[in-house]
Amino acid sequence: MKHIVILTENDLPTQWYNIIPDLPEPLPPPRDPKEGPSRVQNLPNLMIGECLKQEFSNENWIDIPGGILDLYLKAGRPRPLFRATNLEKRLDTPARLYYKGEFYSPTGSHKVNTALAQCWYAKQQGFERVTTETGAGQWGTALAYASAVTGLKCTVYWVRSVYNWKKDRLYFMKLLGADVHASPSPATEFGRSLYDKNHDHVGSLGIAISEGLEDSQKDPKATYALGSVLNHVLMHQTIIGLESQKQFEIFDDYPDLVISCLGGGSNFGGFALPFVGDVLKKGKKTKFLAAQSQVAPNLQGTYQYDFADYAEITPMLKMYTLGHKTDMLPIKGDGLRYHGCSPILSLLRHKGIIDTIAYPADERHVFENAQLFMETEGWLAAPESAYSICCAIDEALKCRETGEKKVIAFNISGHGFLDLPGYESVLGLRS
Amino acid sequence: MKHIVILTENDLPTQWYNIIPDLPEPLPPPRDPKEGPSRVQNLPNLMIGECLKQEFSNENWIDIPGGILDLYLKAGRPRPLFRATNLEKRLDTPARLYYKGEFYSPTGSHKVNTALAQCWYAKQQGFERVTTETGAGQWGTALAYASAVTGLKCTVYWVRSVYNWKKDRLYFMKLLGADVHASPSPATEFGRSLYDKNHDHVGSLGIAISEGLEDSQKDPKATYALGSVLNHVLMHQTIIGLESQKQFEIFDDYPDLVISCLGGGSNFGGFALPFVGDVLKKGKKTKFLAAQSQVAPNLQGTYQYDFADYAEITPMLKMYTLGHKTDMLPIKGDGLRYHGCSPILSLLRHKGIIDTIAYPADERHVFENAQLFMETEGWLAAPESAYSICCAIDEALKCRETGEKKVIAFNISGHGFLDLPGYESVLGLRS
């Protein structure tokens, strides 16, 4: 039995897949709210030029520039697709399980796939610095990495409540030369207005976004970079699914069910969209299932225009949303705590192509399944990726009941080496 | 320019390289001390049968059983060989630098290469459990992993002074189902004799070895596993160098200088021995350089028979040693703190084939070079691997002076995701 398919450097896809022209109906464009300044007209000031162009492109395939291909190779792409032979045996399931190994990422998550592209384009455009916000820290780490290897400076505004305890991630960003601020910070006008009143202000993603944007808008040599939700971000991530398709060909198999965790949608979209394209264009019958948390089951919200950020700086996007000011309980899979799902995936949900399942906030079932995966397959998954694993195992167990020989593909978007305290707190490993 | 060579699952070497018959003179065998019971005669009680056989084998090539090849594939082998294109540019060196990516290991270090083999053989021999000691924790983690995926139980005796602060590694072993004891522990007679007098006894590797051995010898279903120094361990690790040789062929290049860090010798041997074989048999002129710490420059010690362990349970081995009761200062590259070098590598040193360099105990230069590597190549190395990087950079800078277009190959034996506090404490990243 084949356990793994490894693609060589010569097999790296040279184009990203843009699903927009293949969608069953036109993607609703970003829109301005009724009041206030136009956010849509301000987009060119916020975004890297080439990314903005890609955001609205109707080309099906976008060439990946040679410089970005080089960066992908240096980051160790292509990444392997594994058959979960040991897990299948343990579950005694007739299903065939496959997982993609994004955990080989230099920063530990799939986020580098778009960070590298954005930094490369920013550099081409003459920028010398990128700014961003980060919550859980994965995106900030990925951008710090991409900035370092492309020769840009990087400034990260990091929600103070997380900044204060994720010391290892902070050291990681600092090793890469990034300038990291606990947000709200005294480094921006908006941040200062809050920081001066309370030096211990815990901050929020909305505040951190505002600081990152203010910083980049005041410096003509700086631009802002976004890590999820938007069309071009998902498109950069399709490198994951495109590689996986080549690997399934070599396995001589094809997924009946594609699973991944979903917060804003970048890893889910990156893995699933090429397979969705096969459904839309080639008549494949593959199903898609997003593994979410009950603290943020955004695909179970309402399909409407909403802001992408708490502070209402971005345009409104048509998406499944829980409301952009919704409070969400803390969970270890922090990257899944986002109020809205990317417009592309929201439309696909609206058309019945993507389904969703949400797991309880205590995360016990999720982490127990991640542990089972580790005991059998050996890989320590990021807390967010634990949701993908959990969902795949649950589906494989259903196949044991029904006898279905379903082919289940799931994405391990990152590793958990920096998240072991999270495993401990959910599973109680100390004793 | 080519940045990476990735081998596919079909390129995985199917034999290990045993250098013993190619050595310039016969390898001195293990020997008993003048007094006390025979350690040599006791070896069959201590070691896995197939490993003992391999330890004294004169076969040049040993077939890797299909079951172990499967395990290597599941652990993501083969691993890539990278050309350090960005680093070369930053250093402005005419040298060509290549590094092997053992950091893709599921537990973060090359130790899995022998852990998987030993567990597989132990299982074949009917054992149900493996025991071991660990100091820094890499070996314990690797054996916990290998036990989990082969279906063995695993008991780890972990030096208490390290056990107490490396919580993340403890959680990692526990997630894999291992039974982990702070040593000295109340679980063995020998451990209890120390533990009862002082519950906070900091322990030592010698004590932990004694506990692991006692445990396995009292249980006919258990056996003991060793992570370095011995011939069969280095042989299992040659998978690293054998893959690298295939990759150099595809790069159409060949190393003039092979570098790796050296504690007991398992990663150095695994990477270097196949190239040493080319020197001994094919007339290649490659040089070999071991990167060590001044706290444990064992290759700069004396070449004589010495015990492999503090407690004098093992036979005496002919090796370069600092003396088996030497105290060594703590360093972050804890895996390099060992008093003796493996007999094979010691003989090669004795014959002038391997050279050594030792870096100061403050580790600042080592970690600064690892940071430079991270800023350019993007990978976070384990503290031990930082020595390999440091040495390669220093050698590349010499080439800048001399103009030599030297080809330098180095091994990154593991990643540093669990070692970020070490980077912080040496480099002061907090500010």
Side-chain angles (χ1 to χ4, degrees):
Chain A
M1 192 184 290
K2 212 166 171 61
H3 300 284
I4 186 172
V5 166
I6 302 176
L7 300 177
T8 74
E9 62 282 8
N10 305 313
D11 304 316
L12 184 67
T14 56
Q15 297 183 309
W16 291 299
Y17 172 54
N18 178 21
I19 200 170
I20 291 176
D22 296 330
L23 289 172
E25 59 188 50
L27 191 66
R31 201 167 83 178
D32 276 321
K34 284 177 190 153
E35 292 172 9
S38 171
R39 277 79 163 171
V40 176
Q41 279 169 29
N42 194 39
L43 280 178
N45 300 322
L46 300 183
M47 289 174 65
I48 297 156
E50 190 62 30
C51 294
L52 184 61
K53 204 174 122 195
Q54 291 173 353
E55 187 68 14
F56 298 106
S57 168
N58 268 305
E59 295 295 317
N60 230 175
W61 295 96
I62 307 272
D63 286 340
I64 307 176
I68 296 174
L69 289 174
D70 283 348
L71 291 167
Y72 280 172
L73 292 170
K74 289 200 76 71
R77 299 211 76 90
R79 308 207 186 286
L81 183 74
F82 294 84
R83 171 102 184 254
T85 44
N86 280 0
L87 179 61
E88 288 173 21
K89 205 181 294 175
R90 178 79 74 92
L91 296 177
D92 190 22
T93 176
R96 299 196 289 285
L97 274 64
Y98 296 89
Y99 56 96
K100 180 72 171 173
E102 286 298 307
F103 45 74
Y104 276 175
S105 157
T107 68
S109 90
H110 71 290
K111 293 282 185 192
V112 296
N113 299 328
T114 185
L116 287 168
Q118 292 190 49
C119 284
W120 190 84
Y121 286 127
K123 180 102 178 169
Q124 292 292 111
Q125 205 179 326
F127 291 114
E128 294 175 6
R129 186 167 68 96
V130 288
T131 72
T132 200
E133 89 295 337
T134 198
Q138 271 91 345
W139 172 239
T141 318
L143 200 69
Y145 160 80
S147 301
V149 298
T150 54
L152 291 169
K153 289 178 190 158
C154 179
T155 308
V156 179
Y157 293 89
W158 194 358
V159 178
R160 176 172 280 106
S161 60
V162 189
Y163 173 99
N164 280 342
W165 72 271
K166 288 206 177 174
K167 290 297 172 202
D168 283 356
R169 277 203 186 273
L170 175 64
Y171 302 153
F172 199 106
M173 294 186 214
K174 294 260 193 176
L175 273 174
L176 289 161
D179 192 19
V180 188
H181 300 276
S183 168
S185 79
T188 67
E189 205 172 311
F190 178 65
R192 206 155 45 239
S193 72
L194 299 167
Y195 178 79
D196 282 351
K197 282 179 219 153
N198 178 8
H199 281 30
D200 298 322
H201 195 303
V202 293
S204 74
L205 212 51
I207 295 167
I209 291 175
S210 306
E211 289 202 80
L213 285 169
E214 180 190 323
D215 181 352
S216 74
Q217 295 208 268
K218 282 187 174 165
D219 177 1
K221 300 200 164 158
T223 186
Y224 190 72
L226 276 156
S228 191
V229 179
L230 299 182
N231 306 339
H232 71 278
V233 174
L234 270 64
M235 188 191 73
H236 297 158
Q237 294 290 359
T238 59
I239 192 84
I240 304 172
L242 293 168
E243 286 178 10
S244 302
Q245 286 184 316
K246 290 190 180 198
Q247 288 162 317
F248 269 108
E249 267 181 45
I250 299 172
F251 269 119
D252 195 19
D253 215 341
Y254 194 90
D256 300 307
L257 177 62
V258 170
I259 290 169
S260 204
C261 59
L262 193 150
S266 82
N267 114 73
F268 184 95
F271 185 51
L273 289 180
F275 296 101
V276 174
D278 283 356
V279 169
L280 297 173
K281 293 196 289 191
K282 296 182 183 169
K284 289 279 186 185
K285 303 287 180 201
T286 305
K287 306 282 180 195
F288 301 89
L289 187 50
Q292 306 201 276
S293 166
Q294 285 178 6
V295 312
N298 54 43
L299 279 177
Q300 297 170 24
T302 51
Y303 190 44
Q304 63 182 34
Y305 271 96
D306 194 9
F307 291 101
D309 67 314
Y310 190 96
E312 305 183 358
I313 295 170
T314 66
M316 300 180 83
L317 303 173
K318 183 85 179 273
M319 56 186 180
Y320 276 90
T321 175
L322 304 165
H324 68 287
K325 298 215 166 176
T326 302
D327 280 331
M328 289 168 274
L329 286 174
I331 51 170
K332 298 303 167 192
D334 198 68
L336 306 184
R337 286 173 71 244
Y338 184 67
H339 68 276
C341 174
S342 91
I344 287 175
L345 298 174
S346 289
L347 176 64
L348 291 168
R349 163 76 175 145
H350 182 61
K351 302 306 285 182
I353 293 168
I354 293 174
D355 207 349
T356 158
I357 184 169
Y359 291 96
D362 73 8
E363 299 182 288
R364 188 152 187 98
H365 179 56
V366 168
F367 277 76
E368 279 175 352
N369 272 346
Q371 183 174 19
L372 178 62
F373 178 78
M374 192 173 170
E375 284 171 2
T376 49
E377 296 297 313
W379 301 100
L380 172 64
E384 293 80 7
S385 314
Y387 285 74
S388 307
I389 292 168
C390 181
C391 183
I393 289 177
D394 286 350
E395 292 294 319
L397 289 174
K398 285 183 199 164
C399 292
R400 185 168 70 187
E401 299 309 311
T402 62
E404 275 178 288
K405 291 182 180 168
K406 209 179 264 189
V407 177
I408 300 173
F410 55 110
N411 187 33
I412 314 280
S413 57
H415 69 57
F417 282 102
L418 294 178
D419 305 288
L420 282 157
Y423 274 87
E424 199 288 319
S425 77
V426 174
L427 295 176
L429 302 167
R430 214 175 291 256
S431 58
Chain B
M1 191 185 289
K2 212 165 170 63
H3 300 283
I4 186 171
V5 165
I6 302 176
L7 300 177
T8 74
E9 62 281 8
N10 305 314
D11 304 316
L12 185 67
T14 56
Q15 296 183 310
W16 292 300
Y17 171 55
N18 178 22
I19 199 169
I20 290 176
D22 296 330
L23 289 172
E25 59 187 52
L27 190 66
R31 201 167 82 179
D32 277 321
K34 283 178 189 153
E35 292 172 8
S38 171
R39 278 80 163 172
V40 176
Q41 280 169 30
N42 194 38
L43 279 177
N45 301 322
L46 300 183
M47 289 175 66
I48 298 157
E50 190 62 30
C51 294
L52 185 61
K53 203 172 123 197
Q54 291 174 351
E55 187 67 15
F56 298 105
S57 169
N58 269 305
E59 295 296 317
N60 231 175
W61 295 96
I62 307 274
D63 286 340
I64 307 176
I68 296 174
L69 289 174
D70 283 349
L71 292 167
Y72 280 172
L73 292 170
K74 290 200 74 71
R77 297 212 76 88
R79 310 207 185 287
L81 184 74
F82 295 84
R83 170 103 184 254
T85 44
N86 279 1
L87 179 61
E88 287 172 21
K89 205 181 293 174
R90 179 78 75 91
L91 297 176
D92 190 22
T93 175
R96 299 197 289 284
L97 274 63
Y98 296 88
Y99 57 95
K100 180 72 171 172
E102 286 298 306
F103 45 74
Y104 277 175
S105 157
T107 68
S109 90
H110 69 291
K111 295 282 184 192
V112 296
N113 299 328
T114 185
L116 287 168
Q118 293 190 48
C119 285
W120 190 85
Y121 286 126
K123 180 103 178 168
Q124 292 293 111
Q125 204 178 328
F127 291 114
E128 294 174 8
R129 186 165 68 95
V130 288
T131 72
T132 200
E133 89 297 337
T134 198
Q138 272 92 342
W139 172 240
T141 318
L143 200 68
Y145 160 80
S147 301
V149 297
T150 54
L152 291 169
K153 289 178 192 158
C154 180
T155 307
V156 179
Y157 293 89
W158 195 357
V159 178
R160 176 172 279 106
S161 60
V162 188
Y163 174 99
N164 280 342
W165 71 272
K166 288 205 176 175
K167 291 297 171 203
D168 283 356
R169 276 203 186 273
L170 175 63
Y171 302 153
F172 200 106
M173 293 185 214
K174 294 262 194 173
L175 272 173
L176 290 162
D179 192 19
V180 188
H181 300 275
S183 167
S185 79
T188 67
E189 203 172 312
F190 177 65
R192 204 154 47 238
S193 72
L194 299 167
Y195 178 79
D196 282 351
K197 280 179 218 153
N198 177 9
H199 281 29
D200 298 321
H201 195 303
V202 294
S204 75
L205 212 52
I207 295 167
I209 291 175
S210 306
E211 289 201 78
L213 285 169
E214 180 190 323
D215 181 352
S216 74
Q217 296 207 267
K218 283 188 173 165
D219 177 1
K221 300 202 165 159
T223 185
Y224 190 73
L226 276 156
S228 191
V229 178
L230 299 183
N231 305 338
H232 71 278
V233 174
L234 269 65
M235 188 190 73
H236 297 159
Q237 294 291 358
T238 59
I239 192 84
I240 304 172
L242 294 168
E243 286 178 10
S244 303
Q245 286 184 317
K246 290 190 180 197
Q247 289 161 317
F248 269 108
E249 267 180 45
I250 298 172
F251 269 119
D252 194 19
D253 215 340
Y254 193 90
D256 299 308
L257 177 61
V258 169
I259 289 169
S260 204
C261 58
L262 193 151
S266 82
N267 114 74
F268 185 95
F271 186 51
L273 289 180
F275 295 101
V276 173
D278 283 357
V279 168
L280 297 173
K281 293 197 289 190
K282 297 182 184 170
K284 289 279 186 187
K285 302 289 181 200
T286 305
K287 305 283 181 197
F288 301 88
L289 186 49
Q292 307 202 275
S293 166
Q294 285 178 6
V295 312
N298 54 43
L299 279 176
Q300 299 170 24
T302 51
Y303 189 45
Q304 62 183 36
Y305 271 96
D306 193 9
F307 291 100
D309 68 314
Y310 190 96
E312 305 183 356
I313 296 170
T314 66
M316 299 180 85
L317 304 173
K318 182 84 178 276
M319 56 186 180
Y320 276 90
T321 175
L322 304 166
H324 69 286
K325 298 215 167 176
T326 301
D327 280 330
M328 290 169 273
L329 285 174
I331 51 169
K332 299 302 167 192
D334 198 68
L336 305 184
R337 285 174 72 244
Y338 184 68
H339 68 277
C341 174
S342 89
I344 287 174
L345 298 174
S346 289
L347 177 64
L348 291 168
R349 163 75 176 144
H350 182 62
K351 302 307 284 183
I353 293 169
I354 294 174
D355 206 350
T356 158
I357 183 168
Y359 291 96
D362 73 10
E363 298 182 289
R364 186 149 189 102
H365 179 55
V366 168
F367 277 76
E368 280 175 351
N369 272 346
Q371 182 174 20
L372 177 63
F373 178 77
M374 192 173 170
E375 284 171 1
T376 49
E377 295 297 313
W379 301 100
L380 172 65
E384 293 79 8
S385 315
Y387 285 74
S388 307
I389 292 168
C390 181
C391 184
I393 289 177
D394 286 350
E395 292 295 319
L397 289 174
K398 284 183 200 165
C399 292
R400 184 168 70 186
E401 299 308 310
T402 62
E404 275 179 288
K405 292 182 180 169
K406 209 179 264 188
V407 177
I408 300 173
F410 56 109
N411 187 33
I412 313 281
S413 57
H415 69 57
F417 282 103
L418 294 179
D419 304 289
L420 282 157
Y423 274 88
E424 199 289 319
S425 77
V426 174
L427 295 175
L429 304 167
R430 215 176 290 257
S431 59

